[in-house]
Every structure is written in C-alpha cells, then in structure tokens.
Amino acid sequence: MGALPIIDHPDASREFVTNKARSHWHDEALWFVRSKRDKQAHSVPEWEYLREQASEVKTHTIANLDRYLVEFEKNATAMGATVHWASDAADHNRIVHQILKDHGTLRIVKSKSMLTEECGLNHYLEDNGIEVVDTDLGERIVQLRHETPSHIVLPAIHIKKEEVGETFHTHLGTDKGASDPQYLTEAARGHLRGKFLSGEIGITGVNFGIADTGGIVVCTNEGNADLGVSLPRVHIACMGIEKLLPRHQDLAIFTRLLARSATGQPITSYTSHFHGPRDANSELHIVLVDNGRSKLRESETFRHALHCIRCGACMNTCPVYRRSGGHSYRTTVPGPIGSVLSPARDSKAHKSLPYACSLCGSCTDVCPVKIPLHHQLLAWRKELVGQDRMPKSKTVPMKAASYLFQHPKLFALAGKAGRTALRWLPHFATHNRLNKWTIARELPLPPKESFRDWYRKNRG
Amino acid sequence: MSVALFVPCYVDQFYPDVAIATLELLERLGVDVVFPQGQTCCGQPMANTGCTEDARPVAKRNVAMFADYDAVVCPSGSCTSMVRNHYDQFFDSGDTAFQHVKSRTFELCEYLYDVLEVRKLDVRFPHRVSLHQSCHGLRELRLGPSSEVMTPRVDKMRSLLDMVADLEWSLPTRVDECCGFGGTFAVDEAELSASMGRDRIADHLSTGSEVIVSADMSCLMHMQGLIRREKNPTQVMHIAQVLVGRPIKELAKTE
Amino acid sequence: MATTESRQAILDRLTSRVVDANPLPTIDPSRLTTFEDPIAKFAEMLAFVGGEAHQVDRIEEVREILSKNPVFADATRIASVVPAAIQGNVDASQVDDPHALSSLDWVIARGEFMVAENGAIWVDGSTLPHRVMLFIPQYLAIVVSRNEIVSNMHEAYQRIGTPKPGFGVFVSGPSKTADIEQSLVLGAHGCRKLQVFLVP
C-alpha cells in the first residue's frame, strides 16, 4: 500500500482513454448499468423521498456515531458476537490474522469487501502463509490475474470475456479460446465449490450494521457470502464504522436504494441478516474499522462522504470514469467518491483526482444518499491550492487571469491582441503540441470585433 | 426596470453574435437592457481551478458592477450558477448588494420563461435541431429535468424552442451527458475531454440533426473545435441566436 | 494497538468533535407505494429477477408441478422442511456437519412472507436445520402462504419486528452474476433456479 509512485490521472488514464475501442466498450458497459438504474429509480414514485430520508438518517448517524457504535457493540455482544475495534488498516489485519491463528486456520474464503481491499488484507494474510480465496466471481477473476478490482461493485468490468477465458484456461483448465460467459461462470462455480467446502473460516464485508439490534446485513447476488460463512464455524465480518444504521427499520430505506442504484435490480438476490453466531459452537467476529473515517468526520466540508453505501452509481454515471477505467485512479475506491475520499488519506499522492472531473454534477444527482460529490471535488481543489499542492503551471495562469479580469481596459486590449494574433498567425503556430486545447480541437475563429466593441458602436 | 446584460468573457471576445442576439431578443421583448461596460468575468475559471483567492476580487468586482440593476441576464448557465451557487464563499451573508445580485441574476432561458413568462415567439427555424443540455444549467440551475433525478421539472430550453415555428427535434440518446468541456478540465485532461466531446457529437448527430443548440456557448466552443478539426458539416448555435431568428450559418459568418 | 486501546482512541476522536445534526426522521407511510394486487406485482417482480411463481390451490400441486420439471424428476438428493408439499429423502436435521449437504440437488424451504415491490421472500433461518440449505443445493423451491405478503420493504421490516439471535434472509430470485462483461448468468454459487409456490 502506498508504494506506487505518484502518477497523475491524465498520465495514468492515457493508455485506456486513447485505446478508443476499449474505452468505448467500457463506457457502453457502464452506461448500460446506469440505464438499468434509471429504470428502477423511475419505477419507485417515492425515489426522491427515499434519497432524502437516507441522507437524513446518515447525517444523524455520523453526527452521533460514538453513541451508536457503543449501542451496536452492546447489542451485538448480547447476540453472542465478538466485537473488535481497529483504528487503522494494520490493526484490522492483525486482528483478523489473530483470529485465524487462534483457530490454526490456513485457508479462508472471502466475499467482496472493499474494506479488506482498502486494508490490503489479502497480501497481509498471504505473506503470513494463509491461502485467501476471493469468492465473488469478479474478484476471483482479478485475483487470478493478480490485478485489483477496477470498480467496487463490478470488480472485473474492465476485463473482456476473452481475457477471462484465457485466465480460466490457465488456472481452471477451461477450453482454450472459450469465452462464453455461461460456460466460464459454470467453470468458476465448480472451481469455487471446492474452495467453499475447504474454507476453514469465512470473511465477509458488511453492508449495514444495525445499532438497535446488534445485527449485520450482507448483500450479494451470487450467494457467495452466505455459502462462505454457513459452512465453516467461524465468520469474520469486517465493517467500516460508517456502515452503521441506528434502527432495524432503517434497513427498509437502504435496501430499497442500494441494489437499484448499484445494478438496477430491485434488491440483491440475497440480503442476509446475521444476529449473532450460527449456534453455540460457532463464532461471529465483527471487526469495526476506523482507518481515517473519524478524521474525515471532523471535516465539515467532507463529512458527508461518510454517507456512502458503496453502490457504485457515481462510477457508472461518471463520464470520466467510464472512459478512463477504474485503475486510472490508483485507489481502492475509484470514481467520484474515490476522488473525494482518497485525497483525505493522502492529498499529495491523490492531488490530481479532484481535477479528473468536468464538474458535470451527474454523480451528485445519482447518489442515493445525496452526497454533494461534485461540490466536494470542487472543495478539494480549493483545499489543494490552499495546501500549495498544485504546480505553478496551474496556479500562475489563474493569477494572471485574475489580474486581467480586474482591469477591464487591459482585458479588452488583451482580447483584441489575442484575436488579432489568432487571425494572423499561421495555423501551425497556434495549433501545436504546446497548446493542449488544439491537440484535438480547433481554436474558435476570432471575430474582428468583440461584443463590447460592437456595443460601443451600435448602442453607445 | 433596468436590466443589465452579463456577457461571459469568452462570448464577448469570441462569440459576439451570441451577445448581440441576446441583446436583440431582450429588446424585442420590450426589456430595457444595457451592457455595463466595465464587466469582464464572473471568476469561474479561477474558482473551478481551486484558486479561490484569485477568484475573490473578480467576484467582488462583478457584484459591484451589477448591484444597481433590477435584474442581470446572462446567456450562460455556467456563469449564472457561479454567481448564484458559488459566490457565497466570497461575501458575508448580510451583504445586501451581494444578496440582491445573487437573487436577481438570471440565466437567459429562465429569465424568458419564468420572469417574462414568454409563451409564444414569432420566429421560424426550419431545421433539425439537437439540444445540448449544459451540465451547470441542468444540474445547478435546474433549467430542465435531469435524467438522474426523478423530480418532474419543466424543460425551459425545450419549451422556448417549441415556440419556434418549423423547428424539428432530433434528440441524442443520452439526453444530458456532459460534453467534456469542464473549463480547465479541457486542457488538464485533454484526451478525456476530447473523447467525451467526440462521443457527445456522435450522439447528437446519430439522429440526423443539422445543428446542435445549447444555452451554454462554452460547451459549444469545445464541440465546435472538435467538429471543425474533423471537418464535419454540423453547425452549433446558441439558443439566443435561434430564438431571435438567425439563419443557420450565422455563427460561422460572424467569426 | 490492542483492540481496547483502539476502541478508546476511536471513541475519543468521535466524542471530541461534537457534530450537530437533525433528529432521526420517521418515514411517512402515506408517501410509500402500495399495490392493489400485491400478488400480481410479486409474481411480476419475481419473474424480473429470474424466479418463477406458481399459485396453487392445494399443497399437493407443489409435487405435481415439480414432477413435471425434469431437473426435479432426476434429482436424487432432496431435503424438505415442508413435508406436506414434498417429502425429502435427506433428513438434514440428522446431519451434524453442513459440509455433508454439499451434494443436495433440491431443497424445499419455507418462506414467512413475500415482498411485492421486489419479488423477495423472507426466510427465517430457524426454519432450517442448517442455513447452508438455502445456498448449497442446485435448485431451491420456497413454499409460502399467499396471504403472507407486504407491499414494500418498510412493511417488511415492520413485520419482522425485533430480531432474535439467528439468521434471516430476503431471497429474490436465483443466485446470479454479471461479472463477465455484464452478461447475466443464473446460478453463480447458489441455486440455479428458484421456484416459489404460493399456497392457500
């Protein structure tokens, strides 16, 4: 973690963006998901009401997080679960590893959890000699390819079926050249059944924790979380502290919004509610993880980012994400929400992300919990300039423009000079690699007179 | 009632006919409109880059410039939104001049539709038109319904263009996707911006439109730059030009 | 850091920054969609999510319908918690280790109630000897009373009430994935198909 060199988004995305066929294919795949989301949102007349309610519940919960965490701990313990607290990723990994050591575990099965990705759990456990099998199909694909998920809901959205076919041919022995999704999924089913049966402990993420019952809810379509934890005797659930909801009944709002926003389904195939361990001989460990969340809560500007329920809708709708791919963000959580969360962890490493955005605002409108994402990205730019993180090439022209705009005569003169130059300079002088505008576009054809000149002559 | 025309800096310099069309349109509708000569820019380029302190004096200047008018009309959703939604950081909430300018600055279409309550126009435009929704007009000013939000809203741009005789709609599949201009985004993320723009143009053209009309010239400047590089016959026009009755080639002619 | 120290550190950080906020909102039931014919909506949504609803007048019809299904007719290992509908041939309550259930072909489970808006059925884990029975068989059938239906998730959670220790799950359609190029494939890890029988 954090070992990657700092590469700004324009450079990190170049290969993906300039591969037109791939970029378009990726864009269309995600637009398809966004369209399915629209249909589902349209089918719920109270959609906007639910968004408001969700936002209010989250605002209230994050404000009173200390109280609800203590309540959750008390109730979860009463239900028979063991609650652990981790202040950072290292803590989290150690806690999980200790539980595995206590049981002499060598093989675990894990369902999708962005939190464990964030904490780098897989590598940590593998370095400690434990076999980690990601059981979500998309996560298994990226795991076999030694990649990371490029999307939080659709981890393998950047990979073509032919590439999955090659990977499965190598690792699962599927027919060479086979790329039919049905066939490949069937092969993965068989392969992972074996892993499920030999998994000694099941690890899952948590979609929602419920303070007033001490329960946790895990949502999947594949059923992998359930298979993974209903065979072994030990279930470890890793949960970011912001995933809490105060009341059991609040789940209604969020289960209605989550899958519709994420994949355009009315609800996930399985919405599983765990209150305590399976039986007297089983264990349920819930690891509550902070890892920067309580710090983010202190920021009035960015606190709302803790409302995120990780549906991925902002990624599916983001025209930048769709064309540049999730890996171009070089973060666990990419896309608009990732560009808000990541600079809070390391503003130097992720300084280009708030600028990887045209401020179109689609993310804000699509967000089921009403995080004002594009306003937060704009706020980050202000923050980064304030921290002196931005290069002079970005800030100096703004100082010059500011000066110009404060002096209307100079502005008029500069405008005239610019337009004249554009008219008289040869095309190659104005349209070259130094002028980034003109790499793909023509400059506007400059008119002889500005509007202010015209106005003075015709209305003055 | 004296109304000030607030002209975006790049429109003043590169697209004077858009401002002229706006002025003529308002005059034709009986509005007493003037162009305060000292105006320059709303400060959005600096603010959107994060250079708040460079934007501040420009914003202050802009408010002082327009404080004495009953209304300020701007042919740009983006610049209007800057004043209405992003100026608060530069002023005390008790600043009456600012509050006046904030509440009385209108984007052209909302001024026509909401304030003047224009419901018919005597103008003709016999062309197939694709409408380009600017993101800030749509999602910050709510000039129309955005595809993500389920709240029903009047589409002010479409309503106004529906008053134009012989205008034929040919709308893009993705009704309100961003064109990829985004101010400095267009140079910061040049490849992405161009890729978004090309996709947008292709969508606008896929249904057979002759002209892309928008209420924000900045989106059109970006798309026009791409269109001209690719030697595409499509035209772009600002909505003011259509509403005032300019023929289709007018934009190119004034250049 | 030990977990107790982490606990204190996290709570200290949270309490040291007081954040004002609104009280918890209460849902206004008059704002929520309900359905005139919730059964029809349920059947429509279940079909949408890849499941199949059968309305039967007599419980014996469950067997009649399933017997016409070749994958049921060929099934060798069936476990049922609804013997009135189907007598299974694997008694899961006699099984200690859930791993032993890995070769189940069919499970007939009982649903407590249905949710019209999304085609989900609430299954209470305490009705099953092993909760893995919902996830490990190749095929799943759920028998639920047609009178037990709510319109939306708000009504659903109201109906569940205060949970006891244990497990409960909303099942909406068969197990599925679209992780390979967004192509929908039914039968990812759990059941390949889901049949729901609405009985009197």
Side-chain angles (χ1 to χ4, degrees):
Chain A
M1 299 312 280
L4 288 172
I6 298 171
I7 300 180
D8 284 349
H9 187 263
D11 294 320
S13 65
R14 185 158 295 117
E15 192 184 332
F16 199 92
V17 178
T18 52
N19 182 341
K20 284 186 188 171
R22 191 164 198 114
S23 177
H24 273 132
W25 164 81
H26 191 258
D27 167 64
E28 289 290 346
L30 287 154
W31 185 261
F32 172 66
V33 183
R34 154 80 210 270
S35 308
K36 285 200 295 178
R37 172 263 172 208
D38 288 355
K39 278 200 197 95
Q40 279 300 318
H42 273 290
S43 74
V44 179
E46 61 268 33
W47 184 258
E48 297 302 329
Y49 177 65
L50 292 178
R51 288 178 72 217
E52 281 161 27
Q53 293 288 310
S55 170
E56 281 187 37
V57 169
K58 278 291 185 184
T59 305
H60 171 92
T61 313
I62 299 301
N64 299 284
L65 198 54
D66 50 340
R67 179 154 75 77
Y68 286 122
L69 281 170
V70 171
E71 188 187 347
F72 174 78
E73 179 189 41
K74 182 177 86 120
N75 289 326
T77 309
M79 290 281 183
T82 309
V83 177
H84 308 259
W85 300 70
S87 37
D88 56 24
D91 260 1
H92 164 265
N93 294 347
R94 266 199 304 273
I95 289 167
V96 172
H97 186 216
Q98 188 59 48
I99 301 168
L100 304 189
K101 279 199 288 196
D102 291 348
H103 290 86
T105 305
L106 292 174
R107 277 187 295 273
I108 59 150
V109 284
K110 186 164 134 297
S111 74
K112 193 162 60 192
S113 155
M114 283 304 126
L115 177 65
T116 62
E117 291 284 344
E118 172 188 318
C119 294
L121 180 69
N122 283 17
H123 288 307
Y124 181 87
L125 294 182
E126 282 159 3
D127 289 349
N128 283 283
I130 289 163
E131 184 198 4
V132 180
V133 176
D134 276 318
T135 57
D136 171 85
L137 177 58
E139 282 221 310
R140 187 63 181 155
I141 294 169
V142 297
Q143 189 183 32
L144 291 173
R145 294 170 64 86
H146 305 292
E147 294 183 21
T148 54
S150 70
H151 187 292
I152 61 173
V153 173
L154 318 161
I157 189 72
H158 62 290
I159 303 170
K160 297 207 167 201
K161 59 184 180 196
E162 290 78 12
E163 293 161 342
V164 176
E166 281 170 37
T167 304
F168 280 14
H169 173 65
T170 309
H171 295 275
L172 314 185
T174 53
D175 297 341
K176 195 164 176 54
S179 65
D180 173 43
Q182 182 91 39
Y183 168 77
L184 295 174
T185 302
E186 185 64 34
R189 179 184 170 100
H191 158 74
L192 284 164
R193 277 255 156 174
K195 298 291 180 187
F196 280 121
L197 289 168
S198 61
E200 298 159 34
I201 280 186
I203 298 186
T204 69
V206 171
N207 289 93
F208 307 105
I210 311 137
D212 73 353
T213 70
I216 54 166
V217 174
V218 180
C219 307
T220 75
N221 281 322
E222 299 183 5
N224 57 316
D226 293 292
L227 257 182
V229 301
S230 54
L231 288 166
R233 291 244 166 246
V234 182
H235 172 185
I236 303 173
C238 305
M239 168 178 159
I241 54 173
E242 85 288 11
K243 290 291 178 81
L244 215 51
L245 296 176
R247 302 165 299 198
H248 192 238
Q249 69 196 69
D250 294 323
L251 285 168
I253 306 169
F254 290 89
T255 52
R256 296 189 79 190
L257 290 167
L258 177 64
R260 287 188 173 98
S261 297
T263 53
Q265 293 171 260
I267 188 170
T268 44
S269 297
Y270 303 101
T271 306
S272 301
H273 302 59
F274 299 88
H275 284 93
R278 201 157 75 218
D279 52 43
N281 299 320
S282 303
E283 294 171 27
L284 170 62
H285 295 269
I286 303 170
V287 188
L288 295 172
V289 186
D290 183 347
N291 203 29
R293 288 160 176 78
S294 61
K295 181 167 161 262
L296 190 63
R297 177 180 168 275
E298 289 173 1
S299 159
E300 201 157 330
T301 315
F302 301 113
R303 184 180 304 140
H304 275 15
L306 291 171
H307 293 190
C308 178
I309 56 172
R310 302 289 190 270
C311 70
C314 63
M315 291 155 213
N316 304 341
T317 204
C318 177
V320 171
Y321 174 90
R322 273 188 267 114
R323 287 173 183 80
S324 64
H327 288 153
S328 68
Y329 293 79
R330 312 219 155 195
T331 54
T332 304
V333 180
I337 183 66
S339 298
V340 171
L341 294 173
S342 305
R345 294 191 180 285
D346 184 345
S347 66
K348 191 174 166 202
H350 303 299
K351 67 181 190 304
S352 70
L353 296 183
Y355 292 90
C357 161
S358 64
L359 297 174
C360 78
S362 184
C363 49
T364 301
D365 275 2
V366 91
C367 177
V369 290
K370 301 190 86 157
I371 303 170
L373 286 159
H374 79 292
H375 292 294
Q376 295 201 339
L377 290 169
L378 183 55
W380 260 121
R381 297 181 186 185
K382 187 172 155 181
E383 186 80 22
L384 290 164
V385 170
Q387 290 178 9
D388 210 12
R389 288 271 183 238
M390 300 323 289
K392 295 277 170 281
S393 59
K394 216 180 200 104
T395 53
V396 168
M398 290 303 145
K399 286 203 189 312
S402 175
Y403 185 82
L404 206 60
F405 290 140
Q406 290 174 65
H407 298 85
K409 289 206 172 100
L410 200 61
F411 169 70
L413 202 68
K416 194 174 171 64
R419 279 181 284 113
T420 309
L422 274 181
R423 269 208 313 285
W424 295 107
L425 284 174
H427 191 267
F428 69 80
T430 52
H431 293 68
N432 54 50
R433 302 296 299 184
L434 294 174
N435 182 349
K436 282 196 178 173
W437 175 270
T438 61
I439 293 171
R441 318 170 189 83
E442 293 296 303
L443 283 162
L445 291 168
K448 282 206 182 72
E449 60 179 10
S450 63
F451 173 70
R452 65 188 64 228
D453 297 337
W454 178 93
Y455 188 83
R456 210 173 294 119
K457 277 188 213 156
N458 295 276
R459 295 288 192 280
Chain B
M1 177 90 175
S2 114
V3 171
L5 187 61
F6 161 25
V7 175
C9 50
Y10 64 94
V11 168
D12 172 42
Q13 292 299 317
F14 290 111
Y15 300 100
D17 188 60
V18 171
I20 299 169
T22 306
L23 182 80
E24 289 176 359
L25 180 62
L26 291 169
E27 286 173 344
R28 198 178 293 175
L29 292 163
V31 180
D32 174 18
V33 57
V34 293
F35 173 75
Q37 304 260 348
Q39 64 178 283
T40 52
C41 171
C42 63
Q44 189 176 191
M46 302 77 153
N48 282 3
T49 309
C51 300
T52 317
E53 291 319 307
D54 299 317
R56 187 184 303 277
V58 181
K60 295 261 186 200
R61 219 181 150 270
N62 210 41
V63 164
M65 183 68 49
F66 293 115
D68 295 333
Y69 295 92
D70 297 315
V72 183
V73 179
C74 177
S76 158
S78 199
C79 305
T80 306
S81 176
M82 178 67 193
V83 174
R84 194 180 296 166
N85 299 318
H86 301 278
Y87 265 21
D88 294 85
Q89 57 185 322
F90 305 125
F91 297 88
D92 291 334
S93 57
D95 187 325
T96 49
F98 162 59
Q99 291 300 344
H100 173 79
V101 171
K102 178 181 167 174
S103 65
R104 298 299 298 165
T105 297
F106 300 96
E107 185 277 335
L108 175 66
C109 296
E110 63 181 0
Y111 187 72
L112 298 175
Y113 195 87
D114 295 338
V115 182
L116 298 183
E117 297 185 17
V118 172
R119 292 296 178 271
K120 63 177 198 300
L121 285 164
D122 183 20
V123 63
R124 187 168 169 266
F125 193 73
H127 301 285
R128 285 179 71 84
V129 168
S130 191
L131 182 62
H132 181 75
Q133 299 279 8
S134 92
C135 297
H136 290 171
L138 200 64
R139 300 192 186 86
E140 295 210 335
L141 296 181
R142 303 295 178 194
L143 298 181
S146 65
S147 59
E148 302 88 356
V149 176
M150 302 301 127
T151 312
R153 288 191 172 93
V154 174
D155 189 328
K156 292 166 196 174
M157 259 115 40
R158 277 197 71 165
S159 302
L160 288 164
L161 289 166
D162 276 334
M163 300 170 204
V164 176
D166 303 327
L167 182 148
E168 209 183 317
W169 286 116
S170 102
L171 296 169
T173 336
R174 299 185 187 181
V175 289
D176 53 16
E177 190 170 32
C178 178
C179 68
F181 171 62
T184 50
F185 174 80
V187 286
D188 281 346
E189 293 266 10
E191 275 114 352
L192 254 169
S193 167
S195 158
M196 285 162 70
R198 279 190 291 262
D199 288 354
R200 204 68 207 112
I201 293 162
D203 196 357
H204 278 299
L205 300 190
S206 66
T207 45
S209 66
E210 298 165 67
V211 54
I212 304 170
V213 173
S214 175
D216 253 302
M217 206 54 222
S218 53
C219 310
L220 293 177
M221 172 169 74
H222 161 66
M223 286 193 283
Q224 190 191 34
L226 291 161
I227 287 170
R228 284 186 32 230
R229 171 63 54 90
E230 290 173 14
K231 309 228 182 319
N232 193 310
T234 316
Q235 296 297 314
V236 300
M237 281 176 84
H238 190 271
I239 191 167
Q241 296 174 305
V242 176
L243 296 179
V244 86
R246 294 277 197 271
I248 196 166
K249 293 281 182 191
E250 195 66 22
L251 190 63
K253 216 161 73 185
T254 60
E255 287 168 349
Chain C
M1 228 188 266
T3 177
T4 47
E5 287 166 39
S6 287
R7 180 183 188 278
Q8 206 50 51
I10 294 168
L11 291 176
D12 283 350
R13 202 187 250 287
L14 293 173
T15 39
S16 70
R17 180 74 160 90
V18 176
V19 176
D20 292 329
N22 54 310
L24 268 176
T26 316
I27 287 276
D28 172 4
S30 73
R31 301 284 301 266
L32 306 173
T33 306
T34 52
F35 302 99
E36 265 180 41
D37 186 350
I39 294 285
K41 184 71 189 176
F42 172 83
E44 175 201 329
M45 293 315 293
L46 185 65
F48 180 77
V49 298
E52 220 177 311
H54 306 274
Q55 294 216 49
V56 298
D57 292 327
R58 295 171 296 111
I59 192 122
E60 299 76 33
E61 284 179 57
V62 175
R63 170 166 285 284
E64 291 162 27
I65 292 170
L66 278 180
S67 301
K68 288 182 199 145
N69 187 328
V71 289
F72 183 80
D74 295 345
T76 55
R77 286 170 59 81
I78 302 168
S80 171
V81 296
V82 194
I86 301 284
Q87 282 282 357
N89 56 15
V90 175
D91 185 355
S93 64
Q94 297 303 308
V95 171
D96 280 338
D97 180 0
H99 290 82
L101 299 169
S102 67
S103 58
L104 279 178
D105 295 310
W106 276 83
V107 164
I108 319 298
R110 196 181 99 193
E112 299 307 306
F113 65 89
M114 300 167 278
V115 187
E117 70 158 316
N118 52 24
I121 305 112
W122 175 251
V123 179
D124 183 338
S126 67
T127 60
L128 300 160
H130 294 279
R131 68 173 69 149
V132 80
M133 289 169 71
L134 279 179
F135 311 106
I136 211 159
Q138 299 292 324
Y139 299 93
L140 179 66
I142 300 177
V143 179
V144 58
S145 163
R146 77 170 63 135
N147 302 317
E148 308 300 329
I149 187 158
V150 296
S151 276
N152 55 52
M153 292 303 285
H154 309 276
E155 294 175 4
Y157 280 103
Q158 220 157 44
R159 193 181 152 138
I160 294 169
T162 309
K164 294 188 193 63
F167 175 78
V169 57
F170 285 105
V171 179
S172 170
S175 153
K176 56 178 88 71
T177 182
D179 274 346
I180 302 176
E181 284 204 14
Q182 281 299 293
S183 298
L184 180 67
V185 179
L186 302 184
H189 299 299
C191 62
R192 298 169 184 276
K193 286 210 170 97
L194 173 70
Q195 310 283 335
V196 181
F197 292 93
L198 283 60
V199 299

